[in-house]
Amino acid sequence: NGDPQWVDGVLGGALELDGDGDFVDCGNSTVFDIQVDITVAAWINVAQFDKSWQAIVNKGDSAWRLHRSGGSSNIAWGTSGVAAPAADLTSTATVDDGEWHHLAGTYDGAQKRLYIDGVLDAEVDATGNIGVSTHTVNIGENNQATGRYLTGLVDDVRIYNVALTGAEVGTIAKP
């Protein structure tokens, strides 16, 4: 949607999203209704975040999401419905520096983990099922809380119905 441009990326081509209506709508297939055992991963290159809660890849706020953590320079891995200290697990690493960064959020029914550049950045004990949402999976926008368009580059988005191990995340985080 909008007018995203194909540019050079980490693994071939990447999408350049301008923050003004550009995003990818991946549909609302039930294959995306993953409640336990999930990994969501993507490469991003953001010079500077320019909106709170900017969307990277998500199924809305009532399910799962990789996004900017509020107004910070950090990433959050959100899983609504999962019992944890907070719905969002926030990275300590900052990623809006104009460089490529690999992001991966995992949940296995006992732990939520957030990896930045193939390295475990944050984790928390967590239990329960991620909420099921009727919203579409989007890259660069949140269909449930619109206007969170990403300004930057996105490459190699992956959604798995398994919680990858740290070693497996390290493997997919290598360009």
Side-chain angles (χ1 to χ4, degrees):
N1 291 289
D3 63 348
Q5 303 297 308
W6 281 108
V7 299
D8 290 335
V10 174
L11 302 169
L15 279 180
E16 181 177 30
L17 307 174
D18 67 9
D20 187 26
D22 293 353
F23 70 99
V24 177
D25 181 335
C26 301
N28 189 25
S29 172
T30 57
V31 301
F32 297 125
D33 292 336
I34 306 167
Q35 296 184 285
V36 178
D37 293 326
I38 185 172
T39 300
V40 178
W43 283 94
I44 66 165
N45 184 327
V46 174
Q48 182 177 6
F49 287 120
D50 56 5
K51 294 176 198 70
S52 292
W53 306 108
Q54 280 180 289
I56 298 165
V57 59
N58 68 83
K59 191 161 176 24
D61 280 358
S62 59
W64 50 263
R65 60 211 166 273
L66 268 178
H67 59 108
R68 178 186 187 190
S69 182
S72 74
S73 294
N74 308 86
I75 295 299
W77 167 228
T79 53
S80 294
V82 171
D88 283 353
L89 178 62
T90 302
S91 71
T92 59
T94 59
V95 298
D96 62 342
D97 58 6
E99 300 292 327
W100 281 104
H101 294 281
H102 187 267
L103 318 174
T106 68
Y107 174 59
D108 64 7
Q111 293 279 312
K112 278 177 58 168
R113 294 181 175 94
L114 180 58
Y115 298 84
I116 307 294
D117 297 326
V119 176
L120 181 62
D121 184 90
E123 67 181 326
V124 66
D125 292 340
T127 59
N129 291 333
I130 299 171
V132 173
S133 169
T134 59
H135 296 280
T136 59
V137 171
N138 286 339
I139 300 168
E141 169 60 324
N142 184 321
N143 184 259
Q144 186 172 1
T146 60
R148 297 180 179 179
Y149 299 110
L150 183 67
T151 304
L153 307 175
V154 180
D155 196 0
D156 195 43
V157 173
R158 299 179 184 205
I159 302 166
Y160 296 90
N161 62 352
V162 63
L164 296 180
T165 66
E168 290 168 328
V169 170
T171 297
I172 66 170
K174 294 179 183 168

